[in-house]
């Protein structure tokens, strides 16, 4: 069941989805570190069809499968439209093979959108199975494909992580809390 917020976001963005909607977002969609080399082979490891891939960022993604639709939003630099993009998606697909603590995942969580990602860098801290998304078992296209299929299956069975994503973002990643943490860190560094 599509929530009214998701339905409204899709309408405002002109998205007519065939199947679940997965958002792929990066400043530059052709950036290797953000998954550009993984995406071309990823689709063969995902069984679920049809799919709609929503992209946000510079560049494009080409998928040679008629059962996977690509809807490109291009570069978006205003927060209300970014929020609509996150809200329109069933999940953020973050295919980065290396990443520290990606803002795109925090933004998705703040909008209540769960993430599907590989277990690299800080992602296991952010993407918590059953709470804020689905982690692949390894940093490979087959493992990420299996995580996508698992996520789509659970979402189709009614699993809804939107509220827990938003709660986690507010509880552990609020601007106020992050500011306090940075302040404490800088104080500690000054004492050394």
């Amino acid at each position: 069941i599509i929530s009214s917020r998701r339905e409204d976001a899709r309408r405002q963005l002109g998205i007519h989805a065939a199947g679940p909607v997965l958002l792929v977002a990066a400043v530059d969609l052709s950036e290797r570190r953000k998954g550009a080399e993984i995406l071309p082979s990823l689709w063969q490891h995902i069984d679920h069809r049809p799919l709609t891939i929503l992209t946000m960022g510079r560049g494009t993604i080409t998928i040679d499968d008629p059962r996977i639709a690509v809807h490109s939003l291009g570069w978006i630099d205003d927060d209300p439209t970014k929020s609509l993009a996150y809200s329109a998606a069933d999940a953020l697909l973050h295919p980065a093979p290396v990443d520290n603590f990606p803002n795109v995942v925090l933004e998705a969580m703040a909008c209540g959108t769960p993430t599907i990602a590989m277990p690299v860098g800080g992602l296991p801290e952010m993407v918590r199975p059953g709470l804020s998304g689905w982690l692949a078992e390894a940093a490979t296209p087959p493992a990420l494909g299996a995580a996508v299929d698992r996520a789509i299956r659970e979402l189709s069975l009614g699993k809804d992580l939107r509220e827990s994503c938003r709660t986690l973002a507010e509880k552990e990643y609020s601007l106020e809390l992050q500011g306090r943490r940075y302040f404490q860190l800088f104080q500690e560094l000054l004492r050394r």
Side-chain angles (χ1 to χ4, degrees):
I1 297 174
I2 296 175
S3 73
S4 61
R5 170 103 170 108
R6 197 169 339 160
E7 200 171 274
D8 184 52
R10 289 179 184 181
R11 184 186 52 73
Q12 288 186 55
L13 294 171
I15 299 167
H16 305 286
V21 176
L22 302 178
L23 173 64
V24 177
V27 170
D28 181 356
L29 295 167
S30 66
E31 171 61 49
R32 178 189 58 79
R33 292 175 298 123
K34 297 299 179 184
E37 289 181 1
I38 289 171
L39 285 174
S41 66
L42 176 63
W43 315 116
Q44 70 189 12
H45 300 291
I46 298 172
D47 293 331
H48 190 88
R49 301 288 189 279
L51 278 177
T52 297
I53 304 302
L54 179 63
T55 65
M56 180 170 57
R58 292 184 181 95
T60 59
I61 291 175
T62 303
I63 302 172
D64 195 22
D65 184 329
R67 298 168 299 155
I68 301 177
V70 178
H71 185 104
S72 176
L73 297 174
W75 174 253
I76 298 173
D77 61 1
D78 69 282
D79 290 338
T81 306
K82 281 183 188 179
S83 178
L84 282 176
Y86 288 116
S87 297
D90 292 297
L92 171 71
L93 173 59
H94 190 67
V98 293
D99 217 328
N100 255 352
F101 209 74
N103 283 336
V104 70
V105 173
L106 288 176
E107 291 170 355
M109 285 173 39
C111 292
T113 302
T115 297
I116 306 164
M118 292 191 281
V120 296
L123 285 160
E125 291 178 45
M126 305 166 82
V127 182
R128 300 177 195 168
L131 188 63
S132 60
W134 298 265
L135 274 178
E137 292 188 12
T140 65
L144 185 58
V148 169
D149 280 332
R150 187 170 57 253
I152 291 171
R153 184 173 50 257
E154 289 181 11
L155 289 167
S156 71
L157 293 172
K159 186 162 199 113
D160 187 355
L161 300 179
R162 288 191 177 271
E163 190 173 319
S164 59
C165 280
R166 177 71 184 165
T167 300
L168 181 64
E170 290 173 344
K171 181 181 172 193
E172 295 187 25
Y173 303 110
S174 71
L175 290 176
E176 185 178 297
L177 178 59
Q178 295 303 321
R180 278 196 313 268
R181 287 176 176 164
Y182 276 117
F183 184 74
Q184 290 168 348
L185 173 65
F186 294 148
Q187 283 184 322
E188 184 181 311
L189 291 172
L190 286 172
R191 284 189 285 253
R192 289 183 182 187

